[in-house]
Amino acid sequence: MSHEVTVTVRYWAAAKEASGLAEEQVSAVTLADVLADVRSRHADRPRFAQVLQLCSVLVDGDPVGARDPAAVTLTAGARIEVLPPYAGG
């Protein structure tokens, strides 16, 4: 059985603006847990959920891509980067 660990979620650009935070600490087992937690924390900011759906996510610099967030287990101290799509080139 996996145990919760504390990870840091960092928001960039539109995700930072929509959450109102640059980063926050979350206790979770999987990336799916983290995403559910931050959606709940920012439920009073409807734009956050919209932006989050469009974002790419990195765990310790590794792109999650199309992997199921429930299958991405986390280690203590992991850094989760939430990156909105960038406009321009």
Side-chain angles (χ1 to χ4, degrees):
M1 181 172 177
S2 298
H3 296 284
E4 283 191 350
V5 295
T6 300
V7 299
T8 300
V9 182
R10 297 185 69 200
Y11 302 108
W12 297 93
K16 180 178 177 179
E17 182 180 324
S19 71
L21 299 170
E23 68 178 48
E24 62 187 320
Q25 303 292 309
V26 176
S27 292
V29 175
T30 68
L31 180 58
D33 298 334
V34 169
L35 296 175
D37 187 326
V38 298
R39 277 190 194 96
S40 175
R41 289 182 189 203
H42 302 290
D44 61 331
R45 301 176 78 101
R47 178 143 167 69
F48 178 75
Q50 295 169 344
V51 170
L52 190 61
Q53 289 179 353
L54 302 173
C55 289
S56 298
V57 178
L58 304 173
V59 176
D60 290 331
D62 181 30
V64 172
R67 286 185 286 163
D68 178 357
V72 179
T73 55
L74 303 170
T75 58
R79 287 195 157 290
I80 297 165
E81 311 281 342
V82 179
L83 305 167
Y86 291 98

